[in-house]
Amino acid sequence: MTTSSDQPVQSPSAPLIELKNVGKNYGNIVALHGIDLRVGAGEVTGVLGDNGAGKSTLIKIMAGLHKQSEGELFVDGTPRTFDSPRDALDLGIATVYQDLAVVALMPVWRNFFLGQELTKGRFFKTLDTNAMRATTIEELRKMGIDLPDVDAPIGALSGGQRQCVAIARAIFFGARVLILDEPTAALGVKQSGMVLRYISAAKEQGLGVVFITHNPHHAYLVGDHFVLLDRGRQKLDCTYDDISLDELTTEMAGGQELATLTHELGR
């Protein structure tokens, strides 16, 4: 196990996305400082931290919503500057936010193609609803998602099903890196398990996944590499083989601070 003071071991091939010594200031407020993160093809990097740890700021930098104040961001080993989320998407970096930004009353297939609808007709273009329905069914099945009716409103699906539709949509539209914002946060055990299976399926298809979560158990089930944030700083940087679930949970709960408090309380 290595801490933020140690140098991470570099992969022989360039990661799909990598951050080196990245920081973000909002005026005099330091939201992030000294963050190193990387994710390779076919890997899941779990980014853990409680509320206020800096996870949201990190997402916004990787998604192109905010520019870092310091440090560098690399895609395929090349330094990049994102001026907008479009820049990130054009390089295959897609973010699935916790609120999913779906239109609850629209059918599943309409949400799947929302903003990127297929059309037909040479002069008078109309929506190609049959093609969009068929493509939605096919792409969901590729991910192992078998919905009974893609004409049903997406709001009628379970939280886990909606997350999986969003993941399949991102992959279909060319994502090579998936940034998942707390995808299991509001889900029960069964629905969380469903989402974790589809994260593993994305990994098996060769995608790089950044799994943002406050749940060490979920991160450990699918993660290959873990980064722990604490009040905008990087507290931990290690691989699956370097840490046990108990150790990861302890670090997430406060590590040495928790051990000291337990000793003081005589527990």
Side-chain angles (χ1 to χ4, degrees), residues 154-189:
I154 198 167
L157 302 184
S158 69
Q161 288 173 320
R162 290 196 297 273
Q163 286 283 352
C164 296
V165 170
I167 292 170
R169 179 185 189 275
I171 294 173
F172 175 72
F173 284 107
R176 298 185 306 129
V177 177
L178 276 176
I179 302 169
L180 304 178
D181 175 22
E182 298 276 7
T184 61
L187 305 181
V189 173

Side-chain angles (χ1 to χ4, degrees), residues 55-74:
K55 302 191 304 296
S56 294
T57 301
L58 186 64
I59 290 171
K60 290 171 182 175
I61 290 172
M62 290 189 290
L65 284 165
H66 290 177
K67 290 183 182 179
Q68 68 268 25
S69 304
E70 58 189 24
E72 293 183 285
L73 184 151
F74 297 81

Side-chain angles (χ1 to χ4, degrees), residues 108-109 112-113 131-140 150:
V108 172
W109 65 267
F112 194 92
F113 282 94
M132 286 189 282
R133 283 193 184 95
T135 300
T136 300
I137 292 169
E138 179 182 358
E139 294 304 315
L140 292 180
V150 295

Side-chain angles (χ1 to χ4, degrees), residues 70-138:
E70 58 189 24
E72 293 183 285
L73 184 151
F74 297 81
V75 179
D76 298 319
T78 302
R80 298 284 185 176
T81 299
F82 295 155
D83 293 318
S84 71
R86 183 75 259 171
D87 291 344
L89 283 170
D90 287 344
L91 290 172
I93 300 167
T95 304
V96 178
Y97 292 99
Q98 190 174 349
D99 61 11
L100 296 180
V102 297
V103 182
L105 296 179
M106 277 189 178
V108 172
W109 65 267
R110 283 298 304 270
N111 275 278
F112 194 92
F113 282 94
L114 193 62
Q116 302 186 71
E117 290 81 3
L118 301 180
T119 58
K120 61 181 179 180
R122 185 173 179 182
F123 299 108
F124 301 100
K125 294 188 180 296
T126 58
L127 292 179
D128 193 341
T129 56
N130 289 335
M132 286 189 282
R133 283 193 184 95
T135 300
T136 300
I137 292 169
E138 179 182 358

Side-chain angles (χ1 to χ4, degrees), residues 4 19 22-24 31-38 45-62 182 210-214 226-238 248 251-255:
S4 58
L19 277 62
V22 162
K24 178 64 179 176
L32 287 177
H33 177 70
I35 305 302
D36 295 318
L37 181 146
R38 63 207 175 277
T45 295
V47 179
L48 298 99
D50 282 327
N51 293 336
K55 302 191 304 296
S56 294
T57 301
L58 186 64
I59 290 171
K60 290 171 182 175
I61 290 172
M62 290 189 290
E182 298 276 7
V210 182
F211 178 20
I212 312 288
T213 183
H214 64 269
F226 308 102
V227 169
L228 176 58
L229 302 182
D230 182 23
R231 290 168 285 188
R233 268 64 174 179
Q234 191 164 326
K235 184 179 177 183
L236 183 75
D237 179 0
C238 64
L248 185 61
E251 290 294 337
M252 180 72 184

Side-chain angles (χ1 to χ4, degrees), residues 217-248:
H217 294 79
H218 291 172
Y220 201 75
L221 281 170
V222 295
D224 300 290
H225 179 222
F226 308 102
V227 169
L228 176 58
L229 302 182
D230 182 23
R231 290 168 285 188
R233 268 64 174 179
Q234 191 164 326
K235 184 179 177 183
L236 183 75
D237 179 0
C238 64
T239 67
Y240 178 89
D241 292 332
D242 291 332
I243 194 168
S244 68
L245 174 57
D246 286 344
E247 289 171 328
L248 185 61

